[in-house]
Amino acid sequence: MSAEIICVGTELLLGNIVNTNAQFLAQELADLGIPHYYETVVGDNPQRLQQAIAIAIERASILIFTGGLGPTPDDLTTEAIASFFQTSLIEDPAILTDIKAKFAQTGREMTPNNAKQALIPQGAQVLPNPVGTAPGMIWQPRPGLIILTFPGVPREMKAMWRTTAVPYLKSQGWGKEIIYSRLLKFRGIGESALAAKVAKFFDMSNPTVAPYASLGEVKLRLSAKASSVETAVELIEPMASEIIAIAGLDYCGSDEDTLASVVGKLLTQRQETISVAESCTGGGIGQLLTSVGGSSAYFSGGIISYDNSLKIQLLGVKAQDLAEFGAVSPEVAQQMALNVKHRLNTHWGLSVTGIAGPEGGTTSKPVGLVYFGFADPYDQVDCLVFHFGPDKDRETIRYLSVHYAIDQLRRKLSKFT
């Protein structure tokens, strides 16, 4: 008793457009508590579309099609479905009248090829399109199987889904439960290490836990099926609280939280401000911190001292230290952090200096070597070093440096007294 989404269109396979329809429908199915385990993308080919249908009907009881309902020769979804179930197509006069009226409203004359949009399998119901010309259908070609079709235009598909499809599915007994999820985010720990720490939760059936990783971050999605959001939250919260306690400072937020928003909340709670001195990241830390609305309350500004002369002139880094230790060194990172704090009159100072590559690395200072300086409200200065590795490209090193810097700041703010 699950749904399968089948998106039709060669343009999807070629990567010409992003498949936002599948994302929308997946979220909507979760809100209705309808499981869905497969999504299929198939080109504008009737034989391959029928092969997709043959597979889908063996594993799902609701098939949701998007795309292929237009007037052109490559719009073959309706014909392919009818042919698969050996059912004749009939012209629906009400659909044809509606299409003609919509053309007349815009001052256009309907061309003959648009008439194919009025064809639906015998016995199917029309799924009206309030904002476009291509209607869909609701059809039960056999007991226990529901087929819904939508045009590929997202605006039209969403309107049709919400106004007709959702009420229909609920009338058929679907939607009595919802699937509610909470996303927990972690940094400074790998996916396998986190999975080992919370392994006991993976055997649970409701709520369920699913891990996945992105660049520099690991996520756990906690999902519960229940009769209401409130009940689902009650199921999830004890598990979430225990996982957060296990993870400690590696836990960095939930759902819509970002590193920047979490750091912003911590600084706001402490009524403290921060300034940054950046070299290899070229302003990326300041950009991320100011991505949060209201960040002017705690972020004063920054100095991008890419050239060594600016490190001396604007940040007061000692020329002797630059000559002796180099720009990429703990001595320079510490001076950058402390001096930007003083010059911009903030509670905290954060600095970064490193080698993003692809050139410039040496045996002692390879590409990917980055130093981070942190000056606290009491002028205590700490320096951290991270080797991001020569296998990463320039933009990846810069991206990871920005997020590592802000994550380490988050940890210091969380622990600082």
Side-chain angles (χ1 to χ4, degrees):
M1 300 295 288
S2 64
E4 180 159 342
I5 300 168
I6 302 176
C7 299
V8 183
T10 302
E11 68 276 10
L12 294 170
L13 293 175
L14 294 174
N16 293 335
I17 63 172
V18 177
N19 192 359
T20 58
N21 285 349
Q23 180 186 33
F24 169 82
L25 289 168
Q27 293 169 341
E28 290 289 307
L29 289 170
D31 288 343
L32 288 170
I34 300 176
H36 104 277
Y37 306 121
Y38 300 95
E39 293 176 4
T40 300
V41 178
V42 60
D44 301 305
N45 179 284
Q47 289 75 35
R48 286 192 283 273
L49 181 51
Q50 290 184 2
Q51 289 171 2
I53 295 170
I55 295 169
I57 61 174
E58 296 300 320
R59 61 192 185 190
S61 50
I62 303 174
L63 306 189
I64 303 172
F65 294 81
T66 68
L69 301 186
T72 60
D74 62 343
D75 291 311
L76 301 167
T77 299
T78 303
E79 295 95 316
I81 294 172
S83 175
F84 180 87
F85 290 101
Q86 300 180 345
T87 302
S88 301
L89 289 172
I90 60 171
E91 184 176 274
D92 188 307
I95 297 176
L96 193 60
T97 299
D98 181 64
I99 294 172
K100 290 178 178 178
K102 286 174 178 174
F103 271 90
Q105 287 172 1
T106 59
R108 297 177 297 155
E109 184 177 348
M110 190 189 88
T111 55
N113 60 346
N114 281 277
K116 69 177 289 190
Q117 294 176 304
L119 297 174
I120 61 172
Q122 189 168 13
Q125 300 173 233
V126 176
L127 204 167
N129 185 341
V131 293
T133 59
M137 68 172 169
I138 300 172
W139 190 29
Q140 295 192 45
R142 69 184 193 192
L145 178 65
I146 297 172
I147 290 178
L148 304 169
T149 65
F150 301 86
V153 180
R155 184 173 71 97
E156 297 179 22
M157 182 272 296
K158 291 177 182 179
M160 295 164 68
W161 173 264
R162 288 169 174 155
T163 57
T164 305
V166 170
Y168 170 80
L169 289 171
K170 288 183 175 180
S171 74
Q172 299 298 303
W174 297 90
K176 293 180 179 178
E177 292 185 304
I178 58 96
I179 299 174
Y180 173 83
S181 296
R182 185 176 177 195
L183 193 66
L184 306 184
K185 303 176 182 181
F186 307 84
R187 283 188 176 268
I189 185 171
E191 183 179 11
S192 58
L194 178 62
K197 283 189 172 186
V198 299
K200 68 176 183 178
F201 297 107
F202 292 124
D203 293 330
M204 298 182 67
S205 58
N206 193 27
T208 60
V209 179
Y212 57 102
S214 55
L215 186 59
E217 186 175 66
V218 180
K219 304 181 181 79
L220 292 178
R221 181 174 295 281
L222 282 55
S223 301
K225 191 171 186 178
S227 58
S228 67
V229 171
E230 292 75 18
T231 304
V233 169
E234 290 177 2
L235 291 171
I236 285 175
E237 276 310 306
M239 178 189 288
S241 297
E242 189 172 351
I243 290 174
I244 290 170
I246 291 170
L249 282 175
D250 290 334
Y251 167 74
C252 62
S254 300
D255 300 321
E256 301 305 316
D257 288 338
T258 64
L259 273 179
S261 68
V262 171
V263 164
K265 290 174 185 175
L266 289 168
L267 287 167
T268 300
Q269 290 167 5
R270 300 171 63 89
Q271 297 184 324
E272 292 174 347
T273 56
I274 187 169
S275 55
V276 298
E278 301 186 57
S279 184
C280 65
T281 49
I285 296 174
Q287 181 184 34
L288 196 61
L289 287 172
T290 55
S291 66
V292 180
S295 54
S296 59
Y298 50 83
F299 179 72
S300 296
I303 295 174
I304 304 173
S305 54
Y306 208 69
D307 188 79
N308 282 351
S309 64
L310 295 183
K311 291 180 176 70
I312 297 169
Q313 296 170 25
L314 300 181
L315 289 170
V317 174
K318 296 176 183 178
Q320 180 180 349
D321 289 342
L322 280 166
E324 182 177 354
F325 304 110
V328 181
S329 63
E331 291 81 4
V332 170
Q334 289 173 326
Q335 290 177 56
M336 289 172 65
L338 184 62
N339 292 351
V340 77
K341 169 187 180 308
H342 288 164
R343 298 199 174 193
L344 297 188
N345 193 29
T346 56
H347 295 90
W348 290 82
L350 188 162
S351 71
V352 58
T353 177
I355 304 171
E359 297 86 20
T362 65
T363 302
S364 59
K365 294 184 179 182
V367 169
L369 174 67
V370 184
Y371 288 95
F372 303 87
F374 300 88
D376 69 26
Y378 301 111
D379 283 354
Q380 299 297 310
V381 186
D382 184 25
C383 182
L384 300 175
V385 61
F386 202 96
H387 296 262
F388 291 104
D391 58 315
K392 296 180 175 61
D393 61 35
R394 179 179 180 82
E395 285 311 305
T396 300
I397 291 171
R398 283 156 55 93
Y399 175 90
L400 291 173
S401 296
V402 167
H403 288 78
Y404 180 86
I406 298 178
D407 186 48
Q408 292 302 316
L409 176 63
R410 173 189 67 82
R411 292 167 184 264
K412 290 180 179 295
L413 288 168
S414 299
K415 294 188 297 183
F416 189 75
T417 57

